[in-house]
Amino acid sequence: MGNGATVLVISAHAGDFVWRAGGAIAAATARGDRAVVVCLSYGERGESASQWLAGKSLDEIKALRRGEAEAAAAALGAEVEFLDAGDYPLLPSRELLDELVRIYRRVQPTVVLTHPLLDPYNGDHPAAARLAIEGRILAQAIGYDAPGEVLGAPPVFFFEPHQPEQCNFKPDVLLDITAAFPAKERAMKCLPAQQHMWDYYTSLAVRRGVQVKRNAGPNLGLPVDTRGEAYMRYYPQVTEVLE
């Protein structure tokens, strides 16, 4: 990317974008690209157990998760928007889909990051993916009644789910996030409501970093502490050169 590129990240809950795509976001903003994160929900019901156990109210938990996500987005250099569509379950609606179409046309993303279409452990994640894909399709339709320029064809990448083997997640893109990882680490630590995830996603970045080195060729001189993120591409790549 580069040259005025824009990354749009559609996240089911307020923390998902940090764990799954924080490196990609930080890398993009570090090179001067724009990153816009859309949180469909705050993760207030299903991903805030510690706060419910502490006796917090629904409104208090929403405010807490919003504050965490705002701090994490700032650590990554990203903009963040909240649609407050509710979680557990995250239910599609015409109004929510229309809002996403309007975001697509306003933001004009160069690339889209979202969840995979299968997750037997969390129905909100594939629901977010379906909304992201349908919103992209409708934003391309010249007859759809929404302001802004008609969308082109930004590629869509699925970021890695928490239990990839159960989600039929087989990476075909490995992203080197070594330089961006300190920013991702800072962003993760903005999410104390899910502190149990910090070590998991740190070790995952190490494991994916090993695969980055393995697949990059023997002569690139990648550092020992390479960090990585894994993605699956949804639409075909269009290119004049195979590389």
Side-chain angles (χ1 to χ4, degrees):
M1 289 184 291
N3 299 318
T6 298
V7 180
L8 176 63
V9 185
I10 298 179
S11 179
H13 311 110
D16 294 334
F17 72 94
V18 179
W19 316 120
R20 275 74 163 182
I25 296 167
T29 59
R31 62 178 172 261
D33 294 344
R34 182 187 183 196
V36 179
V37 175
V38 176
C39 295
L40 300 183
S41 80
Y42 295 112
E44 62 270 18
R45 296 187 185 278
E47 303 201 343
S48 304
S50 63
Q51 302 309 305
W52 287 106
L53 291 171
K56 299 282 178 56
S57 70
L58 179 62
D59 286 343
E60 287 175 325
I61 293 171
K62 283 186 176 184
L64 175 71
R65 297 311 307 273
R66 181 183 182 117
E68 288 182 356
E70 288 174 337
L76 299 171
E79 306 165 38
V80 63
E81 304 181 24
F82 303 92
L83 300 190
D84 195 13
D87 71 325
Y88 280 70
L90 170 63
L91 297 175
S93 68
R94 179 58 188 266
E95 293 74 21
L96 180 57
L97 186 58
D98 186 68
E99 184 61 30
L100 280 175
V101 173
R102 291 168 181 268
I103 289 170
Y104 269 111
R105 289 200 176 168
R106 168 167 51 84
V107 172
Q108 291 291 312
T110 312
V111 63
V112 179
L113 309 180
T114 193
H115 301 266
L117 286 164
L118 177 64
D119 189 335
Y121 297 98
N122 194 317
D124 291 358
H125 295 161
R130 290 191 294 270
L131 284 162
I133 291 168
E134 185 67 16
R136 177 190 180 276
I137 292 169
L138 295 177
Q140 293 176 297
I142 193 168
Y144 191 93
D145 184 16
E149 295 293 325
V150 173
L151 187 69
V156 175
F157 293 91
F158 298 144
F159 41 62
E160 184 164 6
H162 195 63
Q163 299 196 53
E165 296 85 356
Q166 306 304 316
C167 302
N168 290 342
F169 182 85
K170 183 178 180 181
D172 51 24
V173 177
L174 294 169
L175 183 67
D176 185 344
I177 63 164
T178 307
F181 187 73
K184 179 172 182 173
E185 193 169 36
R186 289 193 297 273
M188 289 195 296
K189 291 184 177 179
C190 292
L191 303 174
Q194 293 180 282
Q195 186 172 345
H196 60 286
M197 307 278 262
W198 294 357
D199 288 344
Y200 179 91
Y201 280 97
T202 297
S203 64
L204 179 59
V206 173
R207 295 196 303 275
R208 291 306 188 191
V210 171
Q211 295 169 358
V212 167
K213 290 187 290 184
R214 175 74 174 177
N215 288 276
N219 301 314
L220 296 184
L222 294 178
V224 173
D225 63 347
T226 299
R227 301 289 184 265
E229 285 177 345
Y231 293 85
M232 287 177 62
R233 187 178 181 117
Y234 185 57
Y235 293 107
Q237 180 184 9
V238 178
T239 181
E240 295 181 352
V241 179
L242 292 177
E243 57 183 1

